[in-house]
Amino acid sequence: MSTKIYIGNLSFSTTEQTLQNLFSQYGKVISVKIIFDKITNQSKGFGFVEMENQEEAEVAIATINGKTLDNRRLRVKKATENKNESSNFFNPRF
């Protein structure tokens, strides 16, 4: 079963390929996605990596969390599903 990982505090210069290379040291990476602002097209400073194997993902999380990448100390944890996003479709946050 695959595991989705949240990576926070990314440098704006960090690329998806950089994350792919980093996480693939710990196991098979299925996907990598850095989140970008729709208007400015600049990184929002976080992203997600999906790894094929849960045990390998847990090792990657434990090893990479707190490490420095592109002069930023990474926050890495297992991603949680945001159940509120779909229910807030007609209720924008102001």
Side-chain angles (χ1 to χ4, degrees):
M1 186 165 126
S2 68
T3 301
K4 196 168 189 180
I5 302 168
Y6 165 86
I7 304 99
N9 202 34
L10 290 173
S11 166
F12 295 142
S13 65
T14 300
T15 66
E16 291 178 351
Q17 186 61 52
T18 302
L19 291 179
Q20 170 83 32
N21 294 342
L22 178 63
F23 279 85
S24 66
Q25 296 175 39
Y26 302 95
K28 183 167 182 185
V29 174
I30 297 173
S31 66
V32 178
K33 180 72 175 164
I34 293 177
I35 307 303
F36 289 88
D37 183 274
K38 292 177 184 175
I39 297 171
T40 65
N41 203 32
Q42 183 175 1
S43 167
K44 288 190 172 187
F46 70 95
F48 299 93
V49 171
E50 186 177 5
M51 294 188 72
E52 184 176 76
N53 181 292
Q54 182 175 349
E55 291 80 22
E56 292 171 348
E58 290 172 1
V59 170
I61 291 168
T63 305
I64 298 171
N65 186 43
K67 296 265 185 188
T68 300
L69 177 67
D70 296 332
N71 297 316
R72 300 294 297 264
R73 190 171 182 165
L74 299 179
R75 290 190 311 263
V76 183
K77 63 182 183 176
K78 187 174 179 182
T80 57
E81 185 177 333
N82 189 348
K83 296 176 183 168
N84 293 330
E85 282 298 317
S86 61
S87 64
N88 286 334
F89 183 74
F90 293 105
N91 187 14
R93 293 177 237 151
F94 291 103

